[in-house]
């Protein structure tokens, strides 16, 4: 066990020495003995090398996790990865109530540390831990915190989308909050690729207020970022990378990220005509539902919104560049009518104004009647 308490030779590289040692422990079926020895070291306050602690936490009995979280907080070990892997494992084992209670007790000690605050933001937005009031309180004053990652602001904005449930409700009550959050994030956060989500919100805000020059300037400035976001593999998403940095046994995979929740309800199957056709879909979802469901849905929310927004925002840029009464303006008007961007309703007045200024009235009439 001496290897476990020695620092890794190259902290910025995979810990091959520990991985080889752990593989040997598994092959010899000595995991229970290794867990007992590792727990003894941790209870003595000995700091294990990060990879050893991650494997230890994933192998211990669920009843020990809250104790380990308390040790990490008390000894002030780095919140990531030490506390992060404990919290991650508690979420995997459905210990959300225990974790919520722990955060309520220890939250004061975490919020003063940038890594501790980011960990809390991750847990609260990617799991069932905490209620709306607790989440809002955790993010209060985030714009004044040093070192807040962009993905944390994006995750908070996505939870507001999820609370609204429908674009119409978001339109009425929450969109200003989300835009302000995006504006603060772009000014104060440490940027990563989730900035694409926040930039899309700012672009939409420019359009709904018909600030066309600011829209085009912002789009031009961040075009490379937006393109990179929509083409990057889903497993490279910053939130997924953060999660997988402390997961060995059950990482978030590309297959998990392809999952979409089946929206039917079993109670309705016997009463809705034709609903029995959906039974296989419901059963398939029950089998394939990932253990990281809330995280998968959050990342899906960010990706779906950003993709849908770009399908609307890029034609806006082309329309602004097109000449009045040009064939290209007519093509764009037809294409936008067919796409019907119901998920981005805030830009409709601006689009109507552009179409009116660039497309002849006869064409607009034919578009209106579906000709």
């Amino acid at each position: 066990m001496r290897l476990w308490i020695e620092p890794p030779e190259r902290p910025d590289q995979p810990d091959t020495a520990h991985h080889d040692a752990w593989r040997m422990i598994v092959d010899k079926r000595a995991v229970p003995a290794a867990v007992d020895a590792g727990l003894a070291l941790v209870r003595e306050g000995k700091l294990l090398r990060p990879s050893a602690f991650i494997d230890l936490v994933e192998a211990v009995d669920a009843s020990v996790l809250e104790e380990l979280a308390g040790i990490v907080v008390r000894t002030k070990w780095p919140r990531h990865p030490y506390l992060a892997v404990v919290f991650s494992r508690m979420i995997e084992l459905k210990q959300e109530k225990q974790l919520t209670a722990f955060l309520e007790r220890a939250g004061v000690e975490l919020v003063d540390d940038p890594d501790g605050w980011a960990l809390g933001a991750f847990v609260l937005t990617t799991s069932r831990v905490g209620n709306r009031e607790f989440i809002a309180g955790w993010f209060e004053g985030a714009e004044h915190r040093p070192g807040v990652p962009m993905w944390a602001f994006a995750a908070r904005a996505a939870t507001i989308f999820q609370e609204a449930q429908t674009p119409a409700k978001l339109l009425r009550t929450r969109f200003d909050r989300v835009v302000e959050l995006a504006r603060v994030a772009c000014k104060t956060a440490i940027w990563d690729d989730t900035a694409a989500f926040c930039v899309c919100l700012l672009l939409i805000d420019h359009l709904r207020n018909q600030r066309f020059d600011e829209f085009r300037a912002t789009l031009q400035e961040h075009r490379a970022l937006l393109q990179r976001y929509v083409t990057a593999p889903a497993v490279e998403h910053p939130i997924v990378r953060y999660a997988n940095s402390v997961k060995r046994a059950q990482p978030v995979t590309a297959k998990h990220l392809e999952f979409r929740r089946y929206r039917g309800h079993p109670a309705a199957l016997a009463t809705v005509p034709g609903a029995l056709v959906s039974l296989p879909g419901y059963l398939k979802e029950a089998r394939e539902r990932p253990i990281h469901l809330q995280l998968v849905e959050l990342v899906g929310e960010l990706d779906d919104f950003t993709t849908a927004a770009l399908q609307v925002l890029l034609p806006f840029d082309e329309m602004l560049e097109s000449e009045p009464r040009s064939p290209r303006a007519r093509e764009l008007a037809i294409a936008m009518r067919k796409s019907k961007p119901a998920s981005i309703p805030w830009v409709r007045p601006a689009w109507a104004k552009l179409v009116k200024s660039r497309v002849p009235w006869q064409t607009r009439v034919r578009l209106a009647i579906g000709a």
Side-chain angles (χ1 to χ4, degrees):
M1 306 305 292
R2 185 176 60 188
L3 176 68
W4 283 23
I5 59 177
E6 294 176 351
E9 292 74 16
R10 299 186 64 180
D12 59 333
Q13 298 292 327
D15 192 350
T16 55
H18 167 73
H19 294 331
D20 292 343
W22 185 255
R23 190 179 301 112
M24 188 178 300
I25 289 171
V26 173
D27 290 343
K28 292 185 176 181
R29 299 183 180 180
V31 171
V35 166
D36 290 341
L39 284 175
L41 291 172
V42 170
R43 286 165 175 156
E44 291 172 7
K46 301 288 180 62
L47 179 64
L48 306 190
R49 60 202 294 159
S51 291
F53 190 79
I54 290 172
D55 284 328
L56 173 68
V57 169
E58 292 193 332
V60 298
D61 186 79
S63 61
V64 182
L65 292 173
E66 194 168 349
E67 177 193 356
L68 291 178
I71 292 173
V72 173
V73 171
R74 186 170 62 254
T75 55
K76 300 187 183 300
W77 291 350
R79 305 318 188 196
H80 185 280
Y82 293 93
L83 195 58
V85 64
V86 179
F87 284 1
S88 176
R89 188 62 178 149
M90 292 177 76
I91 293 169
E92 288 177 353
L93 297 177
K94 310 299 182 186
Q95 295 186 353
E96 288 94 345
K97 289 184 179 179
Q98 296 93 316
L99 184 48
T100 298
F102 185 89
L103 277 177
E104 290 173 348
R105 296 194 305 271
V108 175
E109 298 183 58
L110 297 182
V111 295
D112 293 334
D113 175 74
D115 286 343
W117 184 89
L119 172 59
F122 172 80
V123 167
L124 292 170
T125 56
T126 62
S127 72
R128 296 187 182 278
V129 173
N131 55 29
R132 293 183 183 181
E133 290 74 21
F134 192 86
I135 296 173
W138 192 270
F139 278 87
E140 186 175 354
E143 67 274 16
H144 303 302
R145 293 186 175 278
V148 175
M150 180 66 78
W151 60 256
F153 281 109
R156 174 56 182 148
T159 63
I160 296 174
F161 273 117
Q162 291 172 331
E163 290 169 6
Q165 297 181 334
T166 65
K169 188 174 181 182
L170 184 64
L171 179 67
R172 293 194 305 269
T173 61
R174 291 180 169 89
F175 192 71
D176 286 336
R177 287 175 55 199
V178 172
V179 169
E180 182 57 30
L181 195 62
R183 187 174 291 113
V184 167
C186 289
K187 289 180 180 178
T188 67
I190 298 175
W191 277 52
D192 56 48
D193 281 356
T194 51
F197 174 81
C198 294
V199 168
C200 282
L201 289 169
L202 297 185
L203 290 169
I204 291 170
D205 189 55
H206 286 324
L207 290 178
R208 72 171 181 153
N209 291 289
Q210 301 188 16
R211 299 189 295 260
F212 297 133
D213 290 341
E214 291 93 332
F215 166 80
R216 297 203 71 192
T218 302
L219 180 60
Q220 182 61 31
E221 180 183 0
H222 300 295
R223 190 180 290 271
L225 165 72
L226 298 170
Q227 180 66 22
R228 186 169 66 247
Y229 184 88
V230 297
T231 58
V235 292
E236 292 300 316
H237 194 286
I239 293 175
V240 177
R241 289 206 310 269
Y242 184 91
N244 283 343
S245 67
V246 294
K247 290 180 181 290
R248 295 274 195 277
Q250 300 188 78
V252 183
T253 67
K255 184 176 180 180
H256 292 151
L257 294 166
E258 293 171 359
F259 177 86
R260 287 293 182 270
R261 185 193 289 268
Y262 176 72
R263 298 300 177 182
H265 192 283
L269 294 179
T271 58
V272 178
L276 287 177
V277 177
S278 300
L279 181 57
Y282 178 81
L283 297 177
K284 183 174 185 290
E285 183 234 307
R287 291 193 303 270
E288 298 181 355
R289 184 179 302 170
I291 192 172
H292 330 281
L293 179 60
Q294 279 68 44
L295 185 152
V296 167
E297 291 195 327
L298 179 85
V299 172
E301 188 83 45
L302 293 169
D303 287 352
D304 291 348
F305 180 85
T306 304
T307 301
L310 288 176
Q311 290 174 348
V312 174
L313 298 175
L314 295 180
F316 257 99
D317 188 48
E318 286 194 68
M319 182 67 90
L320 286 165
E321 192 174 358
S322 67
E323 294 293 330
R325 307 178 71 86
S326 66
R328 183 55 181 157
R330 180 179 181 279
E331 291 171 3
L332 290 167
I334 294 172
M336 184 71 86
R337 184 185 180 281
K338 290 180 179 179
S339 65
K340 296 181 179 179
S343 60
I344 316 292
W346 308 277
V347 301
R348 289 174 184 166
W351 182 256
K353 180 178 180 179
L354 287 181
V355 170
K356 187 175 181 179
S357 68
R358 284 166 170 78
V359 178
W361 69 268
Q362 298 95 328
T363 302
R364 298 200 307 271
V365 169
R366 286 198 295 270
L367 288 173
I369 65 176

